[in-house]
Amino acid sequence: MKETPLSNCERRFLLRAIEEKKRLDGRQTYDYRNIKISFGTDYGCCIVELGKTRVLGQVSCELVAPKLNRATEGILFFNLELSQMAAPAFEPGRQSDLLVKLNRLLERCLRNSKCIDTESLCVVAGEKVWQIRVDLHLLNHDGNIIDAASIAAIVALCHFRRPDVSVQGEEVTLYTPEERDPVALSIHHMPICVSFAFFQQGTYLLVDPNEREERVMDGLLVIAMNKHREICTIQSSGGIMLLKDQVLRCSKIAGVKVAEITELIQKALENDQKVRKEGGKFGFAESIADQRITTFKMEKAPIDTSDVEEKAEEIIAEAEPPSEVVSKPVLWTSGTAQIGEGIENSWGDLEDSEKDDDDEGGSDEAVILDSVKMDTGVEVSDIGSQDAPIVLSDSEEEEMIILEPDKNPKKIRTQIACTKQEKAPSKKAVKKRKKKRTTN
Amino acid sequence: MAEPALVASESLAGCRARAARTVLGQVVLPGEELLLPEQEETDGPGFAGERPLRLNAGIRTRLRVVCGPGLRRSGDRLLVTKCGRLRHKASGCGSSGGIYWVDSQQKRYVPVKGDHVIGIVTAKSGDIFKVDVGGSEPASLSYLAFEGATKRNRPNVQVGDLIYGQFVVANKDMEPEMVCIDSCGRANGMGVIGQDGLLFKVTLGLIRKLLAPDCEIIQEVGKLYPLEIVFGMNGRIWVKAKTIQQTLILANILEACEHMTADQRKQIFARLAES
């Protein structure tokens, strides 16, 4: 797909804004966009975000035969890819001029600066060396690919751990991460590219141009530098004439920016190391936050809660009372259970049956009860004097207990005789009493 | 008892066609089948959602149903091709007819007939202009499709100019065609946009939100500074205020609005109004 053309009005506006020292995203002339570094779960995998520009870096390694003329040096390989995902204008499978230029610049920045100790990558001289491959994928294009890519490459290399090897005689043993801890690469310094865009034939200068600024710029100067202020690569493109002090000024700015970025990288690496050691959560899923679209959100409707209580009461009053629901099993008596409503269960309902029995024999026992009451009344007074156990209840069984002691049977008998005289109970009842006594 | 039955019917709907009327405003997913109301009625309410739609069979009252973006007719079935919320706009004559479409969150614009868009002129060839609208193909724009334009009186349009126009032809697999006049031959606000001001891109969802009849954001923005603003349905916004500073502020606010809650937005507008 064709690139979206830049309209005349955008171009004019951008140039006028730059003349006024203003940038589209509110940055100052020498400001970088926000840099964010996040690591994947594997070693040697990172995503670097420079504003909206995003680069994914992944390092891998392989044991290969070395180059003939460099028998004791490992091989470094860099590959940057511009996929269509980054911008629809990038065509897949075609080496565009921009891509070739960026790849060359990356190689010069990272390989030719000898920032990685290639001799330490040698396993057996002339036979086996490590080939370190750095794959960089542009995920989103919003200008200044080279800076983001160079940061991603060096961060991924710093983060990478290669498997440990040992050589015993001719035999080369490769250890899995479980057997021996993987080894970090030895990195001498961190070269980082800093881009400067020039406008109006070098009159105006901007650091870290975004995509639209890149489109209207006249020339670009890329300086690769490490934190020791050593220039690793310098490249000017766009065919503008730069003055000596402009280049010097740029290198000074680059020094400051590189120091800041290096510090950030080191902090990010330390953080990741710490999290891994502590066994916390790491990986892209944890570190990359997703944005929310809020414009479609429904606003919460305000609710008038002033007379809610009265209304609720009204509703409750009007509504039919709910039928009682017993959620817990009801235990009428031990050994029975009932859940919910229903007809009362009469099974094993001991109290009720007892009641019934009482009712049956009520007519003839009533008389007896009367006489018994009389008895107890007398007894209580007697017992009090004889230190006998005090029983105040008047059930039949206790009656018998009271009658048990044969200390004063006479007295009772006389009492009964008294009652006979007084109330003249039916013969039947007296007989019953007598019988009881005899059994005792 | 009622709950399991409900769940079962919902899971059933997941694999079978749902009636379009019942899922209005709900999220639909690509590959889902929908039933239009007329089909539903012929089947009876009990069978709604049971059988897929047949657009050609047994239509008693011919209803004009238009499938907008996100929906596609495949044979006699109506399929969803985008994920988003199903929308419906009733036509004048009947309640069951009208336009169905899916509002989805995307950045890539697909031309739709009748949409007002902002295009960039990329080439002048013969009697037509090629206009980039952000679609897969540039649109064509006849030089006669401007107000007051005749064979002799050509409009003054340069390559790189911004055009605000309307699609009259937007078919699949065909070059879309734009015009800058309405059916009466009036410009009606369309034509070449001035040379100043800033053009920027936002998502299509934000544009739809901003163009909604009573959008708060636009009202609030209007209170800040006097401004000229043009919204293209293709996600492009052109804005011009008195100074470059103000234009930049407006552009940044509109862009940021998408990820702000109403409260945050109000705070920012209040802060800007103070300064």
Side-chain angles (χ1 to χ4, degrees):
Chain A
M1 210 190 116
K2 260 185 159 179
E3 199 175 14
T4 313
L6 194 74
S7 64
N8 293 343
C9 94
E10 277 174 281
R11 184 183 301 275
R12 191 168 303 142
F13 185 90
L14 273 166
L15 290 174
R16 272 179 52 198
I18 288 162
E19 274 172 38
E20 287 187 24
K21 306 256 178 221
K22 291 197 175 79
R23 297 176 77 168
L24 288 184
D25 37 15
R27 281 184 286 161
Q28 296 296 310
T29 321
Y30 302 142
D31 282 355
Y32 251 89
R33 284 171 285 179
N34 277 339
I35 301 173
K36 197 183 161 214
I37 300 166
S38 33
F39 295 97
T41 42
D42 288 341
Y43 280 117
C45 182
C46 70
I47 287 182
V48 170
E49 288 169 63
L50 182 61
K52 282 181 188 162
T53 301
R54 267 183 176 208
V55 178
L56 169 78
Q58 173 70 60
V59 181
S60 50
C61 63
E62 200 184 348
L63 276 174
V64 293
K67 286 175 183 165
L68 288 173
N69 52 349
R70 292 179 194 274
T72 59
E73 284 184 20
I75 301 166
L76 273 175
F77 189 81
F78 295 93
N79 183 38
L80 172 67
E81 282 201 21
L82 306 177
S83 71
Q84 274 205 297
M85 183 164 74
F90 294 137
E91 283 178 42
R94 198 174 135 256
Q95 289 269 320
S96 65
D97 292 347
L98 174 74
L99 183 56
V100 173
K101 190 184 117 185
L102 290 173
N103 265 323
R104 274 292 303 140
L105 198 53
L106 261 181
E107 282 191 7
R108 268 171 46 197
C109 165
L110 288 154
R111 189 197 288 148
N112 300 5
S113 67
K114 301 219 185 293
C115 64
I116 290 167
D117 181 16
T118 45
E119 296 206 346
S120 73
L121 294 173
C122 177
V123 180
V124 181
E127 280 178 27
K128 273 197 167 53
V129 294
W130 282 109
Q131 185 194 47
I132 305 289
R133 187 188 163 91
V134 185
D135 283 295
L136 299 162
H137 291 266
L138 186 65
L139 302 180
N140 193 35
H141 175 38
D142 191 30
N144 206 2
I145 302 168
I146 187 64
D147 289 17
S150 79
I151 296 171
I154 198 72
V155 170
L157 282 168
C158 289
H159 191 245
F160 182 66
R161 303 281 184 275
R162 67 168 169 83
D164 200 5
V165 285
S166 70
V167 186
Q168 284 173 328
E170 293 276 293
E171 205 175 311
V172 178
T173 327
L174 195 70
Y175 296 99
T176 59
E178 287 80 34
E179 288 170 327
R180 276 197 198 177
D181 282 341
V183 194
L185 305 176
S186 64
I187 290 162
H188 298 310
H189 59 92
M190 293 188 192
I192 288 158
C193 292
V194 179
S195 305
F196 300 89
F198 291 94
F199 301 85
Q200 310 268 329
Q201 294 305 310
T203 325
Y204 300 102
L205 164 136
L206 292 182
V207 174
D208 182 26
N210 66 20
E211 199 243 344
R212 285 207 265 186
E213 285 164 348
E214 274 184 353
R215 285 218 202 170
V216 294
M217 72 188 174
D218 290 330
L220 182 76
L221 179 74
V222 180
I223 299 177
M225 202 186 251
N226 60 23
K227 70 172 176 186
H228 314 295
R229 290 174 172 267
E230 294 165 336
I231 291 176
C232 303
T233 302
I234 187 159
Q235 178 177 302
S236 165
S237 55
I240 53 159
M241 308 291 280
L242 289 175
L243 297 170
K244 196 175 79 183
D245 6 319
Q246 265 177 328
V247 179
L248 277 175
R249 195 173 61 176
C250 285
S251 67
K252 266 180 200 155
I253 298 165
V256 177
K257 293 293 161 199
V258 164
E260 284 172 14
I261 295 168
T262 312
E263 203 178 316
L264 183 85
I265 291 173
Q266 259 149 4
K267 217 181 271 171
L269 284 166
E270 270 168 33
N271 264 353
D272 183 67
Q273 213 62 41
K274 207 170 79 187
V275 170
R276 273 168 205 268
K277 212 178 240 174
E278 286 168 0
K281 286 179 179 171
F282 54 89
F284 292 137
E286 298 302 324
S287 50
I288 295 175
D290 41 22
Q291 279 190 307
R292 277 196 198 154
I293 297 160
T294 52
T295 44
F296 288 112
K297 239 184 189 169
M298 293 278 277
E299 284 221 40
K300 278 177 198 161
I303 299 169
D304 185 21
T305 53
S306 53
D307 58 341
V308 163
E309 274 186 38
E310 288 113 74
K311 267 192 185 173
E313 271 168 21
E314 252 177 59
I315 291 165
I316 291 166
E318 279 174 19
E320 284 179 31
S323 52
E324 269 181 50
V325 178
V326 183
S327 55
K328 279 183 188 170
V330 182
L331 198 70
W332 293 109
T333 47
S334 60
T336 64
Q338 184 186 338
I339 300 168
E341 304 160 89
I343 305 159
E344 243 178 63
N345 190 357
S346 57
W347 271 56
D349 219 339
L350 299 171
E351 284 174 354
D352 283 8
S353 61
E354 267 182 349
K355 256 182 212 166
D356 291 352
D357 288 356
D358 283 348
D359 289 339
E360 278 166 28
S363 59
D364 51 355
E365 267 189 17
V367 189
I368 306 161
L369 278 173
D370 273 359
S371 63
V372 168
K373 263 180 192 164
M374 297 291 284
D375 284 350
T376 50
V378 178
E379 279 300 312
V380 167
S381 55
D382 284 357
I383 291 161
S385 56
Q386 289 167 13
D387 282 336
I390 299 164
V391 182
L392 285 170
S393 80
D394 51 357
S395 74
E396 272 194 317
E397 283 115 328
E398 274 149 24
E399 210 68 53
M400 296 207 252
I401 299 163
I402 295 157
L403 291 169
E404 262 178 336
D406 277 322
K407 287 167 191 172
N408 46 359
K410 262 190 183 174
K411 212 177 184 179
I412 291 166
R413 248 170 247 151
T414 52
Q415 278 295 327
I416 288 164
C418 283
T419 51
K420 258 185 200 170
Q421 286 164 2
E422 278 176 22
K423 277 205 166 180
S426 62
K427 279 182 180 175
K428 201 179 168 188
V430 178
K431 272 180 189 171
K432 226 181 179 178
R433 275 252 88 95
K434 276 179 181 171
K435 266 182 193 171
K436 263 188 181 173
R437 224 166 277 155
T438 48
T439 48
N440 286 338
Chain B
M1 271 306 283
E3 268 183 29
L6 212 136
V7 171
S9 71
E10 268 189 357
S11 63
L12 234 165
C15 53
R16 292 212 187 167
R18 290 196 286 181
R21 213 172 39 181
T22 59
V23 289
L24 280 184
Q26 287 181 29
V27 173
V28 288
L29 296 174
E32 217 172 307
E33 259 187 67
L34 291 181
L35 276 169
L36 291 176
E38 60 192 39
Q39 182 65 28
E40 225 181 290
E41 279 153 21
T42 54
D43 282 348
F47 292 92
E50 290 285 319
R51 285 194 349 225
L53 169 73
R54 283 168 213 292
L55 283 172
N56 47 4
I59 297 170
R60 290 164 301 169
T61 49
R62 270 190 79 85
L63 289 165
R64 229 178 110 81
V65 176
V66 180
C67 298
L71 296 172
R72 173 176 288 191
R73 268 156 58 172
S74 160
D76 52 359
R77 303 189 305 162
L78 179 66
L79 294 171
V80 180
T81 55
K82 277 184 201 167
C83 78
R85 288 164 78 178
L86 186 74
R87 297 302 180 106
H88 174 243
K89 190 182 172 192
S91 61
C93 51
S95 59
S96 46
I99 310 168
Y100 285 90
W101 77 97
V102 177
D103 254 357
S104 60
Q105 191 64 31
Q106 61 178 40
K107 289 180 178 174
R108 164 77 51 223
Y109 178 68
V110 180
V112 174
K113 189 182 164 186
D115 268 5
H116 287 80
V117 294
I118 299 177
I120 303 164
V121 179
T122 54
K124 279 203 268 188
S125 57
D127 53 357
I128 58 161
F129 301 113
K130 288 281 174 214
V131 183
D132 178 278
V133 287
S136 61
E137 235 185 320
S140 69
L141 170 66
S142 166
Y143 73 92
L144 291 171
F146 288 87
E147 192 187 47
T150 55
K151 285 244 172 190
R152 219 175 270 169
N153 185 15
R154 290 192 172 218
N156 180 24
V157 179
Q158 306 300 322
V159 170
D161 276 358
L162 292 181
I163 299 277
Y164 183 58
Q166 189 180 9
F167 279 115
V168 283
V169 176
N171 289 333
K172 207 169 70 163
D173 313 320
M174 257 181 83
E175 190 184 58
E177 198 181 321
M178 279 173 75
V179 289
C180 291
I181 43 171
D182 60 8
S183 53
C184 311
R186 298 279 176 75
N188 206 357
M190 289 181 280
V192 180
I193 299 174
Q195 295 297 308
D196 295 320
L198 174 64
L199 180 81
F200 60 98
K201 267 210 82 170
V202 296
T203 62
L204 303 186
L206 181 61
I207 282 283
R208 278 196 293 264
K209 179 77 184 175
L210 291 170
L211 283 174
D214 35 71
C215 176
E216 280 179 21
I217 302 171
I218 290 304
Q219 286 170 5
E220 284 169 65
V221 162
K223 282 177 205 156
L224 276 180
Y225 313 115
L227 73 147
E228 280 182 79
I229 195 159
V230 179
F231 296 105
M233 279 301 282
N234 55 347
R236 288 184 182 153
I237 300 176
W238 177 87
V239 62
K240 185 187 166 191
K242 261 183 194 162
T243 62
I244 285 186
Q245 176 78 18
Q246 290 182 352
T247 312
L248 278 173
I249 289 171
L250 290 172
N252 279 320
I253 283 184
L254 288 173
E255 241 173 303
C257 270
E258 188 162 30
H259 299 293
M260 278 196 287
T261 60
D263 291 339
Q264 286 172 322
R265 200 173 62 224
K266 270 171 199 149
Q267 276 180 5
I268 285 186
F269 276 111
R271 216 189 305 154
L272 272 172
E274 280 169 24
S275 61

